[in-house]
Amino acid sequence: MDETVRRVAGGENRAAAVTWEGAVNAWRISGDVYRMGRREWLTETGWNQAYDAGIRTVIDLRNAGEQSPRETDPLVRPEVLARFQILPAPTEDPENEEFRAICRPYLNDPAAYQDNARLFPDKLAAVFKAVAAAPGGVVIHCSAGRDRSGMIAAMLQDLAGADDHAIVSGYQAAMRGINERHRTQGVPHAHERYLDEAALAPLLESRGEKVAEFVRQLKTRQYLLRNRVTDQELSTILALLRGRVTV
């Protein structure tokens, strides 16, 4: 692990950093399932690296209005992208009034994950159905790779039987990862800024606790079964999480 990865991940973190070129806040969740920030940040080399790692499906958790390319995004030839199945699977309805009242300006705190799961069970179930139907390895992504990806990653880890430390440290790695992005990016974020360690540390602790609390209250397997994810689909997801995919 190089020094940048060590600084971002933290000394005791179990999350495994992914170094596909251009990828921001990219981590292996478990087995053949990964998470990251915007896919548009990947360079063509990065997409090829993801393909070589077994990725065949990309699940986009963002809302439709967030998917516009940016002038600074690298150019990637269509034939490179054509090798991947890219699926939209938003985790929320941004026009829902209750959700908007809870999550301002957007979902940015695990304290709101439980409300997200309560308000949009069909949407979260659809994400897991997409994972189950995916050929090959899967990468899920949102915008920053922290909260929508973090919510789904925590549920996947819970489904796989991960302990609280692994779930918390996975979220904290992503929180550090996007904080590092804020430190180095040229254009300031509209709502967030780089936090030094003194400011970041208490947030890592409090938000990490909320992630663990979320999955323990949710009981992911039971939640998904109640929302029409089948036993067979859950078994397929577990096989992915254990790295039993051939492509």
Side-chain angles (χ1 to χ4, degrees):
M1 182 182 290
D2 66 30
E3 187 56 36
T4 300
V5 171
R6 188 181 305 279
R7 175 156 50 87
V8 171
E12 297 182 356
N13 205 298
R14 297 185 186 180
V18 175
T19 55
W20 304 327
E21 187 176 273
V24 173
N25 211 10
W27 307 89
R28 183 195 294 268
I29 297 171
S30 181
D32 294 300
V33 186
Y34 300 75
R35 61 185 287 191
M36 66 180 183
R38 299 174 69 245
R39 69 175 183 273
E40 293 87 357
W41 281 323
L42 278 176
T43 66
E44 190 165 295
T45 295
W47 281 106
N48 289 330
Q49 290 169 329
Y51 187 88
D52 290 344
I55 299 300
R56 299 295 182 271
T57 301
V58 179
I59 299 175
D60 187 344
L61 307 180
R62 297 175 299 177
N63 303 306
E66 300 175 77
Q67 298 175 23
S68 299
R70 302 173 185 173
E71 290 183 0
T72 54
D73 292 336
L75 295 176
V76 179
R77 287 174 295 167
E79 57 265 33
V80 173
L81 295 176
R83 296 185 297 170
F84 299 87
Q85 175 179 242
I86 298 177
L87 302 175
T91 58
E92 64 197 34
D93 174 2
E95 300 305 315
N96 180 283
E97 291 186 3
E98 185 177 357
F99 179 78
R100 291 173 66 179
I102 294 166
C103 300
R104 293 182 178 177
Y106 44 74
L107 180 66
N108 63 358
D109 190 326
Y113 289 3
Q114 193 68 45
D115 288 305
N116 198 135
R118 172 179 59 83
L119 289 168
F120 309 118
D122 290 349
K123 291 185 179 297
L124 297 194
V127 174
F128 283 80
K129 284 180 172 291
V131 174
V138 177
V139 58
I140 61 171
H141 80 88
C142 53
S143 182
R146 183 186 61 203
D147 282 295
R148 285 170 289 187
S149 296
M151 177 173 60
I152 298 301
M155 292 174 69
L156 286 163
Q157 288 177 288
D158 184 42
L159 189 64
D163 62 21
D164 284 1
H165 177 69
I167 292 169
V168 169
S169 64
Y171 178 81
Q172 290 173 336
M175 194 170 172
R176 284 188 178 277
I178 199 61
N179 189 58
E180 180 73 3
R181 170 74 176 181
H182 294 322
R183 184 182 71 83
T184 59
Q185 70 178 355
V187 180
H189 191 276
H191 302 288
E192 300 188 29
R193 61 181 177 83
Y194 172 72
L195 301 176
D196 64 21
E197 189 63 24
L200 184 64
L203 289 177
L204 288 169
E205 182 175 357
S206 63
R207 293 184 182 183
E209 289 173 356
K210 289 297 183 182
V211 172
E213 183 180 311
F214 162 65
V215 291
R216 297 308 168 222
Q217 290 181 353
L218 186 71
K219 297 180 174 59
T220 302
R221 181 180 179 84
Q222 293 91 323
Y223 173 84
L224 293 173
L225 288 170
R226 286 197 307 272
N227 290 290
R228 296 183 296 280
V229 178
T230 68
D231 275 314
Q232 181 57 53
E233 287 169 326
L234 293 177
S235 295
T236 301
I237 294 168
L238 283 172
L240 273 166
L241 291 168
R242 292 166 182 160
R244 297 179 183 174
V245 172
T246 57
V247 293

